[in-house]
Amino acid sequence: DGYNLIKGIGHTIPVDWIYNFGDGIDIDKLSLIGTILEIKDTNKRKIYSIAIDGDNNKENNTQTAIAISNNAKIEKGKNIIIYGVPGSGKSWYVENELLKGISQNQRERVIFHPEYTYYEFVGQNIPDGKEEVKFKEGPFTRILSKALKESDKNYYLIIEEMNRGNAEAIFGDILQLLDRDENGRSRYEISNPNLEKELNQKSIYLPSNLIIYATINNADQNVFTLDTAFGRRWRYEIKYCNPKEDEENKIYFDSIIKGTNVKWNEFRESINKEILNNKEEIYNAEDKRLGLYYIDLDCLAKENEIIENEKKYREKFANKIFRYLWLDVLKNNRDKLFKEDYNSLEDLILEFKENGKFEEIFNMDFNKEDNTDEN
């Protein structure tokens, strides 16, 4: 794995060069003498001796460069589903941690939805208007083509909201390829004439340098269920409802909701505690909790910060948070959180917009000392 057969050269392995020359040497005047000197260990290979070109070229001017195989950086192929409650930061985690430093050329991102099909995902034959039919590749085929051509790099397929589409139908025969061996390569290959012709392959498989990340939100309504045959071919990674506080998310812990004196995280933890306390009445309660990042950042402020037009921010907050709780979480059990004085969501939002008093809306308080964290 990792070696390429290059015509006229033979088997080669990709390397990152580390030049460690003394002061005063002009790298532009160096030439490579292509003799392998020694293998230092499994990943470090001293490949070339370097001689200084020019009028004063002498043997004692010869120096050495070390080439370190970049195979050590290549991840093994895998399929991972990242899941968690709404607002737990799944997409952010994929983009800013799992794909940190990865160029756009090494990735394809797609969003599944109820109308999305196998032919959009993989590709299809389309008439070109000249009495000919050409294959129009989808994101799966585009990223697979790149991964097959460049085995020294990882390539990534990102599927957002995977359970919003009929994943089993969208993958179709590609489903078989998701079974990976210990090196990350497909255990089983399939025959697909269109892909074989497009990719110039005798059969189709996922190479060990192609990684698939998918996000799902279990709380979404009217989504497709991932069946056992499909689901077992993935690894799962949860994004916790209550992540640890750090420098990047500190604002979500310390800030108040604009137009109120209540901290967002204290409000969120209180709501989540009540949701869990009413599991019998709230369907799928665990997945209906509020994630730390569910709120819009512009609805947060530092304590004692002067806020202009507080009503605008209270209305924005209520339209997002109250609406979710009223319509999605507590559709049949609104008295578990909200006071019985309100007959409609509209009344609820108007009240909060004008007064900003949570105690007038909820039949609970938001004092931090009364709350307990749950994971």
Side-chain angles (χ1 to χ4, degrees):
D1 285 346
Y3 285 85
N4 299 320
L5 180 61
I6 299 178
K7 186 176 181 180
I9 298 178
H11 285 88
T12 67
I13 189 167
V15 297
D16 293 329
W17 285 99
I18 297 179
Y19 294 99
N20 189 18
F21 302 111
D23 294 337
I25 294 179
D26 186 350
I27 294 179
D28 292 335
K29 293 184 178 180
L30 300 179
S31 63
L32 301 180
I33 301 174
T35 303
I36 296 179
L37 300 180
E38 63 177 305
I39 295 177
K40 303 291 288 187
D41 57 41
T42 56
N43 286 321
K44 294 182 180 179
R45 301 161 189 267
K46 185 157 57 173
I47 294 181
Y48 290 110
S49 61
I50 307 299
I52 300 176
D53 280 340
D55 297 336
N56 298 320
N57 187 17
K58 296 179 181 179
E59 284 189 16
N60 60 5
N61 284 333
T62 299
Q63 301 202 26
T64 299
I66 301 296
I68 299 179
S69 165
N70 60 22
N71 275 358
K73 301 176 183 178
I74 300 295
E75 298 180 82
K76 291 182 179 179
K78 51 195 174 185
N79 321 309
I80 299 181
I81 290 175
I82 296 94
Y83 70 101
V85 303
S88 55
K90 298 179 288 295
S91 295
W92 188 96
Y93 170 68
V94 172
E95 181 66 24
N96 294 279
E97 294 192 33
L98 297 179
L99 297 177
K100 186 177 182 180
I102 303 299
S103 73
Q104 292 297 324
N105 185 56
Q106 291 173 252
R107 58 175 89 172
E108 283 278 349
R109 176 177 266 103
V110 63
I111 301 175
F112 281 8
H113 57 80
E115 302 302 318
Y116 197 67
T117 69
Y118 171 88
Y119 300 103
E120 292 172 280
F121 182 54
V122 177
Q124 59 187 311
N125 288 319
I126 297 178
D128 66 354
K130 299 178 181 178
E131 298 183 354
E132 293 184 8
V133 173
K134 290 188 177 180
F135 184 79
K136 181 180 179 182
E137 59 186 9
F140 171 82
T141 305
R142 283 196 297 269
I143 200 68
L144 176 59
S145 176
K146 291 179 179 180
L148 290 169
K149 290 175 181 176
E150 296 187 81
S151 62
D152 60 323
K153 292 181 181 178
N154 277 126
Y155 285 88
Y156 301 84
L157 174 63
I158 304 99
I159 305 172
E160 298 281 10
E161 309 284 355
M162 187 167 70
N163 56 337
R164 283 191 170 277
N166 187 345
E168 290 84 356
I170 293 170
F171 271 82
D173 56 348
I174 302 303
L175 169 66
Q176 186 75 10
L177 305 183
L178 296 176
D179 263 321
R180 308 261 196 157
D181 62 21
E182 60 276 7
N183 294 315
R185 189 185 189 276
S186 292
R187 290 183 183 275
Y188 313 106
E189 300 182 6
I190 65 170
S191 176
N192 186 309
N194 286 332
L195 290 183
E196 289 166 5
K197 181 178 179 181
E198 180 69 17
L199 301 174
N200 194 26
Q201 295 284 320
K202 293 182 178 180
S203 59
I204 303 302
Y205 65 93
L206 300 183
S208 58
N209 62 323
L210 179 57
I211 294 171
I212 305 175
Y213 293 129
T215 64
I216 64 173
N217 186 346
N218 293 338
D220 286 338
Q221 301 182 30
N222 300 319
V223 297
F224 291 85
T225 302
L226 303 180
D227 68 31
T228 304
F230 185 83
R232 74 166 182 80
R233 291 174 163 89
W234 298 78
R235 288 164 46 187
Y236 292 83
E237 185 173 336
I238 191 171
K239 291 305 294 174
Y240 292 106
C241 181
N242 296 321
K244 292 182 179 179
E245 182 177 353
D246 56 34
E247 287 302 316
E248 290 187 346
N249 64 22
K250 188 176 178 62
I251 186 172
Y252 292 94
F253 284 86
D254 296 344
S255 300
I256 61 170
I257 301 162
K258 284 183 179 179
T260 77
N261 60 358
V262 175
K263 286 188 175 182
W264 157 245
N265 193 49
E266 293 175 13
F267 169 86
R268 185 186 70 89
E269 288 182 343
S270 297
I271 293 294
N272 289 343
K273 178 183 175 183
E274 289 302 311
I275 291 174
L276 290 179
N277 285 343
N278 291 279
K279 283 184 176 181
E280 294 183 1
E281 291 84 8
I282 301 174
Y283 174 73
N284 207 16
E286 186 176 339
D287 291 327
K288 296 293 180 64
R289 292 172 296 165
L290 290 166
L292 183 67
Y293 311 107
Y294 196 94
I295 192 173
D296 295 329
L297 265 178
D298 65 350
C299 285
L300 299 180
K302 296 179 181 179
E303 290 187 90
N304 302 319
E305 181 180 337
I306 298 175
I307 307 297
E308 296 182 3
N309 200 352
E310 292 184 350
K311 289 183 180 182
K312 179 184 79 170
Y313 292 107
R314 287 200 294 259
E315 183 178 31
K316 182 177 181 179
F317 174 85
N319 269 314
K320 185 166 189 176
I321 306 300
F322 291 0
R323 182 188 181 281
Y324 172 67
L325 296 174
W326 184 271
L327 297 179
D328 292 348
V329 181
L330 301 160
K331 188 173 184 178
N332 300 313
N333 310 89
R334 287 164 184 156
D335 61 328
K336 296 299 180 183
L337 283 181
F338 297 106
K339 290 186 179 294
E340 296 180 354
D341 304 348
Y342 302 98
N343 295 318
S344 69
L345 176 61
E346 182 178 334
D347 292 340
L348 199 70
I349 293 173
L350 285 172
E351 173 67 28
F352 187 74
K353 174 185 176 181
E354 293 300 321
N355 299 317
K357 296 180 179 179
F358 286 110
E359 63 271 19
E360 297 294 330
I361 303 292
F362 294 91
N363 53 23
M364 55 183 291
D365 62 51
F366 298 97
N367 295 320
K368 186 174 178 58
E369 58 269 19
D370 294 336
N371 303 322
T372 57
D373 292 346
E374 81 286 342
N375 286 325

